[in-house]
Amino acid sequence: MRQPVSLAHACRLINHGPTVLVSSAHEGRRNVMAAAWSMPVEFTPPRVAVVIDKSTFTRELVLAGGRFALNIPCRAIADLTYTVGSTSGRDEDKFSRFAIGAFAGSALALPLIEGCVAWLECRHIPEPHSEMAYDTFFGEVVAAQADRRVFAGGRWAFDDGNAALHTLHHLGGGHFGVIGDVVQGHAG
Ligand SMILES: Cc1cc2nc3c(=O)[nH]c(=O)nc-3n(C[C@H](O)[C@H](O)[C@H](O)COP(=O)(O)O)c2cc1C
């Protein structure tokens, strides 16, 4: 069900503020953590920002490997999302421990998470000041894919027929809002 998304539309995948799973890899180690704080920051080339706390193993792998992926989870994997946001991969591989399926990204060979509805592979843009002061990491999106059942023609297509694939929005403490009604705005 995966299809490539053009870089011109890549930022739309996180435009609505979904919780993401940040995956990373370096020299045989791999990891994935949840992040509620990510956003697009530039259209061309598409660039994103994500907050990666100093305490995380993810941060070590991103700094060492120079790349990360934003995987967009959905209602069907809310438990997994909370789980990888509540445990560290520093001492034990989360993919093995929680039987997380992954496939290799086409551009950067990052582990992309099965069961998600969109995937953005990003080259890390080193910004030592913002990384130290604010834990904010920037990345340039070099490839994107989405599940065609819920993202088609360059836009999300959330409806009652694909409710299990609707994106998650963290409210705190493992509670998530799920993307709901979609309305068409008309410019006056
Ligand atoms: C829903 C959710 C959202 C989170 N958002 C962020 C975030 O935006 N930035 C961050 O640094 N940590 C965030 N966390 C915490 C990390 O996911 C958590 O520290 C994780 O255990 C780090 O894993 P690691 O050490 O394997 O990298 C979030 C946790 C949850 C459950």
Side-chain angles (χ1 to χ4, degrees), residues 3 19 42 59 67 74 83 103-104 110 122 145 153 159 163 167:
Q3 65 181 4
T19 292
E42 221 170 301
R59 186 180 178 113
R67 61 208 158 114
C74 59
T83 298
F103 58 98
L110 284 157
C122 306
Q145 309 176 55
D159 59 38
T167 54

Side-chain angles (χ1 to χ4, degrees), residues 103-129:
F103 58 98
S106 57
L108 301 177
L110 284 157
L112 304 184
I113 310 302
E114 301 270 10
C116 285
V117 289
W119 303 264
L120 297 90
E121 294 178 72
C122 306
R123 255 191 212 105
H124 174 220
I125 302 167
E127 288 288 348
H129 173 74

Side-chain angles (χ1 to χ4, degrees), residues 137-150:
F137 280 64
F138 293 93
E140 180 174 331
V141 183
V142 296
Q145 309 176 55
D147 186 321
R148 68 166 70 92
R149 292 172 295 176
V150 75

Side-chain angles (χ1 to χ4, degrees), residues 7-8 42 158 172 175:
L7 292 183
E42 221 170 301
F158 299 116
H175 285 86

Side-chain angles (χ1 to χ4, degrees), residues 19-20 31-38 50-59 81-90 94 135 170 174 176:
T19 292
V20 302
N31 198 35
V32 55
M33 73 165 227
W37 292 354
S38 74
V50 58
V51 173
I52 304 177
D53 188 79
K54 292 179 189 61
S55 64
T56 65
F57 181 50
T58 294
R59 186 180 178 113
T81 301
Y82 191 52
T83 298
V84 300
S86 310
T87 51
S88 181
R90 185 171 279 108
K94 289 186 207 178
D135 291 335
H170 196 221
F176 296 96

